[in-house]
Amino acid sequence: MKQLAHWMMAAFLALAASFASAADVPLGAGDVLKISVYGNPDLGLETRVSEAGQITFPLVGAVDVGGLSASAAEKKLGGLLESGGYLRKAQVNIIVTSLQSQQASVLGQVNRPGRYPLEGKRTVMDMLAMAGGMNPEGADQVSLIRKRAGKPSREVIDILDIVRSGDLKGDVDVTGNDIIYVERAPRFYIYGEVQRPGAFRLERNMTVLQALAAGGGLTQRGTERGVRIKRRNAAGQVEVIEARHDDLLLVDDVVYVQESLF
């Protein structure tokens, strides 16, 4: 997990160096725009995009800006001012002061859960970095929940595989109203004759021997020949398995170390 935390910090630093301009983001309902026209301070105003995707601008009235980038909206307003004969050469500037229409939620086991604006192109890794990265309880895989054409879908993104391989193909782009959910990491349990009985994070391909090490090793009365795994089968019944050192653990396995008879 420490290694993953280092990778997430690297992603955070990369994100800080690569923020895209909000001018490339499509405008939508709820966005707050600060508009100014060079040489015409009376035309300056701050306004909010309506649910219909419109703003009301002096002289030209209602203007459809929904779906346009800020730069495209600048050109449209300038064109309307010129074609209406109000200005000979209109230089319009738009600053998005509050981006409400394009936001995604990052929830679950992250350091700063919440809704974050999509200021330009954003991927799952970008959004996790904006949320401060995963906390120590976070799983290596996250869920991307989205709705397309009215149908919800869920996609699992393997963060650990992305950072280990360096292959960013799995780092999916995020769009407005997407939800990234980081589940709690899977666990196993160990008790009996070990130094630190309790619940521990289940790492990938974790063996019984590694589980014993996570539990601090055996006590003086423990024996490695007396290790059992209690595991629920598909029917929900608990099975007791005689464990070998190289046996792999599954989620919610309970490892029991017996006391030596000698």
Side-chain angles (χ1 to χ4, degrees):
M1 189 62 195
K2 290 182 179 179
Q3 194 175 16
L4 182 59
H6 290 316
W7 285 325
M8 289 304 300
M9 179 58 71
F12 179 79
L13 293 175
L15 175 65
S18 62
F19 273 146
S21 171
D24 298 326
V25 179
L27 300 176
D31 292 345
V32 179
L33 313 180
K34 186 175 183 179
I35 307 174
S36 60
V37 181
Y38 179 74
N40 294 271
D42 293 342
L43 295 179
L45 83 160
E46 190 165 11
T47 186
R48 185 183 299 272
V49 181
S50 71
E51 290 296 326
Q54 294 182 332
I55 61 171
T56 300
F57 195 73
L59 302 179
V60 297
V63 181
D64 291 319
V65 296
L68 299 179
S69 65
S71 57
E74 290 172 347
K75 293 179 181 178
K76 184 172 185 176
L77 281 174
L80 291 172
L81 290 170
E82 292 173 4
S83 62
Y86 304 111
L87 295 176
R88 180 171 297 178
K89 189 174 183 181
Q91 297 182 26
V92 180
N93 180 60
I94 295 178
I95 298 175
V96 183
T97 59
S98 179
L99 190 63
Q100 299 294 322
S101 62
Q102 297 293 320
Q103 293 189 339
S105 298
V106 187
L107 306 174
Q109 302 299 324
V110 292
N111 289 308
R112 294 193 301 273
R115 286 179 60 81
Y116 292 89
L118 301 175
E119 298 177 340
K121 182 180 178 181
R122 291 287 180 268
T123 66
V124 169
M125 293 284 281
D126 291 335
M127 300 306 297
L128 289 173
M130 291 177 71
M134 292 182 283
N135 64 35
E137 295 294 321
D140 298 335
Q141 297 179 329
V142 305
S143 296
L144 176 61
I145 303 167
R146 56 199 349 176
K147 184 179 288 187
R148 295 291 181 272
K151 296 182 179 180
S153 66
R154 174 178 174 269
E155 183 176 357
V156 176
I157 311 297
D158 194 325
I159 301 301
L160 186 59
D161 183 63
I162 291 174
V163 294
R164 279 181 173 175
S165 66
D167 186 358
L168 297 178
K169 292 181 181 178
D171 191 14
V172 180
D173 289 343
V174 178
T175 57
N177 296 318
D178 283 355
I179 300 172
I180 298 169
Y181 185 77
V182 181
E183 296 191 27
R184 184 179 180 181
R187 292 188 167 198
F188 74 94
Y189 305 85
I190 188 168
Y191 74 109
E193 297 300 328
V194 290
Q195 301 288 345
R196 294 194 306 272
F200 295 89
R201 181 187 181 91
L202 179 65
E203 304 293 348
R204 297 191 187 187
N205 300 318
M206 195 171 195
T207 64
V208 169
L209 189 59
Q210 290 171 325
L212 293 176
L218 304 181
T219 66
Q220 292 182 350
R221 295 182 298 179
T223 172
E224 293 183 2
R225 291 175 295 179
V227 180
R228 302 287 186 270
I229 297 175
K230 297 182 178 181
R231 176 181 297 164
R232 289 193 180 275
N233 59 24
Q237 299 172 331
V238 176
E239 298 178 341
V240 180
I241 304 168
E242 293 188 8
R244 296 173 297 180
H245 283 176
D246 57 352
D247 284 345
L248 296 180
L249 295 185
L250 300 181
V251 178
D252 293 331
D253 274 356
V254 179
V255 180
Y256 172 61
V257 180
Q258 298 185 86
E259 181 179 357
S260 174
L261 299 177
F262 304 99

